[in-house]
Amino acid sequence: MIEDRLDRQLTFLTEIDALKSVIRQSHLADRSRRENAAEHSWHLGMFALVLGEADPTLDLAKVVAMLLIHDIVEIDAGDAPIHGAYDAVALAQAERAAAERIFGLLPETQRDRFLSLWREFEAEETMDARFAKALDRFQPLLLNILTGGGTWAENGVTEGQVYERYQPAIERGSPALWSRARALVRRHFAAARD
Amino acid sequence: MIEDRLDRQLTFLTEIDALKSVIRQSHLADRSRRENAAEHSWHLGMFALVLGEADPTLDLAKVVAMLLIHDIVEIDAGDAPIHGAYDAVALAQAERAAAERIFGLLPETQRDRFLSLWREFEAEETMDARFAKALDRFQPLLLNILTGGGTWAENGVTEGQVYERYQPAIERGSPALWSRARALVRRHFAAARD
C-alpha cells in the first residue's frame, strides 16, 4: 500500500518533468531565449515568498503551492498567450481534462488536494488565489519591461491594451503591486515614444 | 520606506532570473537537453509537496522555501557537478559570498531570513534541511534512471560510486526514499550488465 503510494507519486513527479519543455512567450531578462513554464513557476514561487511575506492575511504556504502547480495543466493543454486569440471555452475544457489526467496520477487523497488547490487558483475567489494570480500577471509584465517591451513590442500591444490585460488581475490581488506596475508601464511607454 | 522596500525586492527578483541560465549536468527525462537550476528548483518544490505531505514532523512550507532558494548562490558560484573534481573549500567560500551578495539585495529583515534558511539547508542538521537535501540528491538520481544512466553513463560512474555519492544524504533525510532509490539503482545497473 505504501509502496503503491510511492509508485504513483514517482510516476507523477516523472510526468511533470515535461513542464520544463512548455515554452511561454516571455523572454528571460537577459533576452537569451523564451521562458519555460517550469522555471516561470519557480520564479513565481520566489515572487510569493518575497512579496507575500509581510501580509498576515495570506496563507503563504498555500500561495506558493498554488503557484508551483498552476501551470502543470499546460503539459497537455499548452500555454495560451495573453496577446493571442484563442477559444477560452475550449481551453478551459482542455485544462480541466489535463488536471484530471495529470493530478489523477497521484494517490487519491493527494489528487483531490491538488485538484482543489488548482481549482481555487483558477476561480480567483479567495485572497490567496487572487494574490497568486496577481503575481502570475505581474511577473511577465516585469520581464517585458526588462526586455525593452518583450511580447508587447512583438505583438504591437499598446499602453491601453496593457492596462486592459494586466490591471484587473494584478489590482484585485495586490493594489500596491498594481500601483508600482502602472508606474513601470507608464515610464516604459513614455520612453518608447521619445 | 515601503517604496524602497519594494524597489529592493524587485531588484532581487530581477537578479535571480539568471538562475534560469545556470546549466546543471542532469538531462531532462525526455533527454532533449540539460536541466537548468531554476526548473530543477521548481521540480524539487514539487517533490517536497508530494513526498513530504504525509510527514507531520516536517515544516513543509519551510522545506519548500529552502528548496526554492537553495541553488540561488549558483548564479555567482556555478554548479559543482557531483561526479567532477572541485575544491570544496573554495566552493563553499564562493557560495557564502554569493549568498551575502544576492540575498543582500533584499530589505534587511528579509535578507536575514533568507540567509538563515540557506544556511540551515547547507548545515543539514535539522530534519527539514535533511529532508530537503535528500530530495536534492534523489531528483537527479531519478533523472539518471529515466535517461538510461544519464550523468553516470557519461562519467563512467559505477554502482558502488552511486551508493557512495547518493546514499548518505538520501538515507539521512528519508530512509524510505533511500530504500526505493537503492532498488532503482540496482535494477538499473543489473539491466546495464545484461
Side-chain angles (χ1 to χ4, degrees):
Chain A
M1 186 58 191
I2 289 175
E3 281 304 292
D4 177 58
R5 190 174 166 80
L6 185 52
D7 278 339
R8 299 189 69 151
Q9 290 168 326
L10 296 184
T11 299
F12 171 79
L13 291 169
T14 297
E15 176 72 19
I16 65 171
D17 199 68
L19 195 62
K20 299 168 188 170
S21 301
V22 173
I23 307 302
R24 295 167 46 80
Q25 294 298 304
S26 299
H27 299 263
L28 300 192
D30 69 2
R31 309 187 196 196
S32 56
R33 60 172 170 83
R34 293 188 196 267
E35 188 187 42
N36 72 58
E39 62 198 3
H40 163 71
S41 300
W42 164 78
H43 210 178
L44 287 181
M46 292 302 306
F47 272 67
L49 289 178
V50 169
L51 299 176
E53 189 191 57
D55 185 344
T57 66
L58 291 174
D59 179 346
L60 201 56
K62 190 197 239 188
V63 171
V64 171
M66 262 182 198
L67 288 167
L68 294 184
I69 70 158
H70 83 291
D71 269 350
I72 284 176
V73 295
E74 294 187 355
I75 291 171
D76 287 357
D79 176 57
I82 186 174
H83 307 301
Y86 56 87
D87 179 340
V89 174
L91 178 70
Q93 194 167 16
E95 289 188 345
R96 280 195 301 272
E100 297 278 352
R101 183 189 78 75
I102 302 169
F103 296 127
L105 298 171
L106 287 164
E108 282 182 25
T109 51
Q110 261 185 336
R111 174 201 65 193
D112 292 347
R113 270 194 292 275
F114 280 75
L115 272 175
S116 155
L117 201 56
W118 178 73
R119 288 177 185 139
E120 180 176 339
F121 174 78
E122 285 296 314
E124 284 183 80
E125 284 165 4
T126 65
M127 272 316 297
D128 293 330
R130 287 178 180 183
F131 184 67
K133 275 276 182 187
L135 298 182
D136 188 31
R137 209 54 120 222
F138 178 71
Q139 187 256 9
L141 179 150
L142 186 62
L143 286 178
N144 276 348
I145 299 283
L146 292 168
T147 55
T151 65
W152 301 334
E154 285 176 342
N155 293 281
V157 173
T158 66
E159 184 172 355
Q161 287 171 325
V162 169
Y163 296 132
E164 261 172 51
R165 295 173 192 176
Y166 294 80
Q167 180 169 359
I170 300 177
E171 194 170 33
R172 189 162 48 215
S174 174
L177 200 57
W178 173 249
S179 162
R180 173 59 63 99
R182 188 182 49 206
L184 290 171
V185 171
R186 276 192 187 150
R187 196 187 313 154
H188 168 76
F189 280 94
R193 276 191 297 271
D194 285 347
Chain B
M1 186 60 191
I2 289 176
E3 281 304 293
D4 177 58
R5 189 173 167 81
L6 185 52
D7 278 339
R8 299 188 71 149
Q9 291 169 325
L10 295 183
T11 298
F12 171 80
L13 290 169
T14 297
E15 176 72 18
I16 65 171
D17 199 68
L19 195 62
K20 300 169 189 171
S21 301
V22 173
I23 308 302
R24 295 168 45 80
Q25 294 299 306
S26 300
H27 299 263
L28 300 193
D30 69 2
R31 309 185 196 199
S32 55
R33 60 173 171 81
R34 295 189 197 266
E35 188 186 41
N36 72 59
E39 61 199 3
H40 163 71
S41 301
W42 163 78
H43 210 179
L44 287 181
M46 291 303 306
F47 272 68
L49 289 178
V50 168
L51 299 175
E53 188 192 57
D55 186 342
T57 66
L58 292 173
D59 178 347
L60 201 55
K62 191 197 238 188
V63 171
V64 170
M66 263 182 199
L67 288 167
L68 294 185
I69 70 158
H70 84 292
D71 269 350
I72 284 176
V73 293
E74 295 188 355
I75 291 170
D76 287 356
D79 176 57
I82 186 173
H83 307 300
Y86 56 86
D87 179 339
V89 174
L91 179 70
Q93 194 167 16
E95 289 188 345
R96 278 195 302 273
E100 297 279 352
R101 182 189 77 77
I102 303 170
F103 296 128
L105 298 171
L106 287 164
E108 283 181 25
T109 52
Q110 261 185 336
R111 175 201 65 194
D112 293 346
R113 270 195 291 274
F114 278 76
L115 272 175
S116 156
L117 200 56
W118 177 73
R119 288 177 185 138
E120 180 176 339
F121 174 79
E122 286 297 313
E124 285 184 77
E125 284 165 4
T126 64
M127 273 314 300
D128 293 330
R130 288 177 179 182
F131 183 67
K133 276 275 182 188
L135 298 181
D136 189 30
R137 209 54 120 220
F138 178 71
Q139 187 256 7
L141 180 149
L142 185 62
L143 285 178
N144 276 348
I145 299 282
L146 292 168
T147 55
T151 65
W152 301 334
E154 285 177 341
N155 293 282
V157 173
T158 66
E159 184 172 356
Q161 288 171 324
V162 169
Y163 296 133
E164 262 172 48
R165 295 173 192 176
Y166 293 80
Q167 180 168 0
I170 300 177
E171 194 169 33
R172 187 162 52 216
S174 174
L177 200 58
W178 173 248
S179 162
R180 172 59 64 98
R182 189 182 49 207
L184 290 171
V185 171
R186 276 192 187 149
R187 196 187 312 155
H188 168 76
F189 280 95
R193 277 190 297 272
D194 286 345

